[in-house]
Amino acid sequence: MTKIDRYILTLFARTNLICFLSLAGVFVVFHAFNNLDELARRGQQSGSMVFAMFVFYGPYLLMLFDWTATIIALMSLLFTVGWLRRSGELTALLAAGIQHGRVLRPMLVFCALVIGVQWFNREQILPNYREQLTGKPSELRTGRVRPMLPAYDKAHGILIEGDGIDAKEDRVLQASFRLYVSYPGFGDVISGDSARWIDATADRTSGYIVSAVRRPEAIDSIASAQLAESPILITRRDAAWLEPGECFVATTLDLEVLRDNPRSTRLAGMGELIRRLRNGSVHSSDALHVLLHERLIRPPLDFCLVLLGLPLVVNRGDRRLFSVIAQAVGLTLLFFGLKTLAGGMGSSGYLLSPAMAAWVPLLVLGPIAFVRYCDVQVQ
């Protein structure tokens, strides 16, 4: 890396950071006005308002980075080259025989690094803060019950219902398990005050422990039931680890499947999405298949957006910065418009399969981006 590379890279990274901090500052100011009481309460509890705001807004800024990092990188590319052109430094470099492609190389490498960090943040960090990012601050503090959707376990013939989800204790309130398969002694429903989710262990599958069972009556005297030689409904009669009045219902439908919040699903990592799609007990919509494929191709597609903006960077005609930025905004809108259109067609099953709907933007824009990159190399 030469001295001029370090100079351009420093200028580009500084512009990137300033753009993100400016956008983050606007977000924090507007969001804080709607949550002043909650922030004040957190500040009193922690003893430091600055620390309380850092803890509260840290996950939000990570989500903002995931949403805007690629667009900010493209805009920073335009700002940096515009500054080099305005100061005459770009003219001097071109006069020395250096091509645009060589000047842009360190910035493109930095863009690829940003997209990599964005991917790591999306897959490894954001899923840990889904509860905070998808709920209101007051709900997190008071432990308000979250809404849920009924879910049907196709493998075991069980419909899971309830009044809501207590996320703090990982349980369904007023849980009801409707049985569409004949389990001797259990009738057609198991209902109780709550159902607590437990993960699978070496000697027990995953499922829910239903507490204070009301139906069927005298649950402790009923023998456990199996389906295809696998224990599905387990009672205290055959399992000493259960408390009186409890029943264990084996299922792979965890609380995330029951949660009535599409934003929570979109914040899940690829590993969880794959496990859900492979889960034969739960219905997987076309939208979920589209989401998984979009996650898979998003890094190369984001880099395509940067490459598509290169002709604007090396434009020798219109050199007005704000005119170039307006063109970049239009390009970005067309980019996301194509993604949204293809994703909507795949989710609804219209003309495109879910996999093809996610890949269409890359198949259309990838060759165009490559041609534009090659054109820049010879200018």
Side-chain angles (χ1 to χ4, degrees):
M1 180 179 291
T2 64
K3 183 178 294 186
I4 189 64
D5 287 333
R6 290 193 293 271
Y7 171 74
I8 294 175
L9 190 59
T10 302
L11 183 62
F12 178 71
R14 185 171 58 194
T15 304
N16 219 310
L17 181 61
I18 292 174
C19 289
F20 177 74
L21 292 179
S22 301
L23 184 62
V26 173
F27 171 81
V28 170
V29 168
F30 278 96
H31 194 276
F33 271 115
N34 296 324
N35 299 278
L36 286 177
D37 294 339
E38 182 66 23
L39 289 173
R41 189 177 294 107
R42 287 171 176 260
Q44 292 176 355
Q45 293 175 351
S46 63
S48 172
M49 189 65 178
V50 175
F51 178 77
M53 291 191 67
F54 176 79
V55 172
F56 182 75
Y57 281 109
Y60 284 99
L61 295 184
L62 291 175
M63 184 172 64
L64 186 66
F65 174 77
D66 179 54
W67 289 351
T68 63
T70 304
I71 301 175
I72 289 177
L74 174 60
M75 296 303 172
S76 299
L77 193 64
L78 299 177
F79 278 119
T80 303
V81 175
W83 175 262
L84 292 174
R85 180 179 287 120
R86 183 182 181 87
S87 63
E89 294 169 310
L90 182 60
T91 303
L93 291 172
L94 296 177
I98 300 176
Q99 296 178 338
H100 280 97
R102 181 63 183 86
V103 176
L104 297 175
R105 186 183 303 170
M107 291 184 282
L108 292 178
V109 172
F110 188 87
C111 288
L113 179 61
V114 168
I115 292 174
V117 174
Q118 188 183 23
W119 173 85
F120 181 81
N121 172 59
R122 183 187 312 121
E123 299 298 332
Q124 302 297 329
I125 301 178
L126 281 180
N128 300 322
Y129 296 100
R130 278 185 295 178
E131 195 65 34
Q132 179 176 343
L133 294 173
T134 58
K136 297 180 179 179
S138 58
E139 293 177 347
L140 297 175
R141 177 174 49 84
T142 60
R144 182 178 175 182
V145 177
R146 305 295 180 86
M148 63 168 287
L149 289 173
Y152 182 67
D153 186 337
K154 297 187 298 182
H156 301 156
I158 301 175
L159 178 65
I160 306 175
E161 299 175 309
D163 288 351
I165 298 175
D166 185 344
K168 285 188 175 181
E169 299 185 8
D170 289 341
R171 61 193 182 106
V172 178
L173 303 181
Q174 298 301 317
S176 174
F177 296 80
R178 298 190 179 275
L179 308 178
Y180 291 90
V181 174
S182 178
Y183 294 103
F186 287 90
D188 61 352
V189 66
I190 299 174
S191 61
D193 289 348
S194 65
R196 178 170 54 86
W197 170 261
I198 57 173
D199 294 318
T201 60
D203 56 351
R204 183 177 64 243
T205 184
S206 61
Y208 294 90
I209 295 180
V210 187
S211 302
V213 176
R214 296 187 297 270
R215 292 181 59 185
E217 298 180 354
I219 186 66
D220 293 340
S221 62
I222 301 176
S224 300
Q226 296 183 345
L227 182 64
E229 299 184 355
S230 297
I232 305 301
L233 306 177
I234 302 177
T235 63
R236 181 174 170 79
R237 174 177 170 177
D238 303 303
W241 48 271
L242 290 172
E243 298 294 331
E246 290 185 344
C247 175
F248 177 75
V249 181
T251 180
T252 55
L253 274 62
D254 58 15
L255 292 176
E256 288 300 325
V257 176
L258 305 180
R259 202 182 300 272
D260 182 17
N261 193 334
R263 288 181 59 196
S264 180
T265 301
R266 299 198 69 85
L267 288 173
M270 280 187 60
E272 181 177 334
L273 294 177
I274 293 173
R275 288 193 297 270
R276 185 177 300 188
L277 290 174
R278 288 181 174 177
N279 190 343
S281 299
V282 60
H283 169 71
S284 298
S285 65
D286 287 343
L288 192 61
H289 286 81
V290 173
L291 177 61
L292 176 60
H293 285 275
E294 285 180 345
R295 284 292 190 82
L296 181 64
I297 66 171
R298 183 170 171 182
L301 194 58
D302 285 344
F303 196 67
C304 277
L305 176 60
V306 177
L307 297 182
L308 288 171
L310 292 182
L312 302 177
V313 175
V314 300
N315 183 16
R316 297 180 182 272
D318 190 355
R319 297 189 177 185
R320 292 173 297 178
L321 180 59
F322 289 101
S323 175
V324 173
I325 292 176
Q327 295 177 51
V329 171
L331 175 66
T332 304
L333 291 177
L334 289 175
F335 174 84
F336 284 103
L338 178 60
K339 283 185 60 178
T340 304
L341 177 62
M345 293 174 66
S347 299
S348 61
Y350 179 71
L351 294 180
L352 296 176
S353 66
M356 182 57 67
W359 282 84
V360 157
L362 184 62
L363 295 176
V364 173
L365 300 177
I368 299 175
F370 179 74
V371 170
R372 291 194 165 191
Y373 172 75
C374 293
D375 289 342
V376 169
Q377 299 302 308
V378 299
Q379 292 187 28

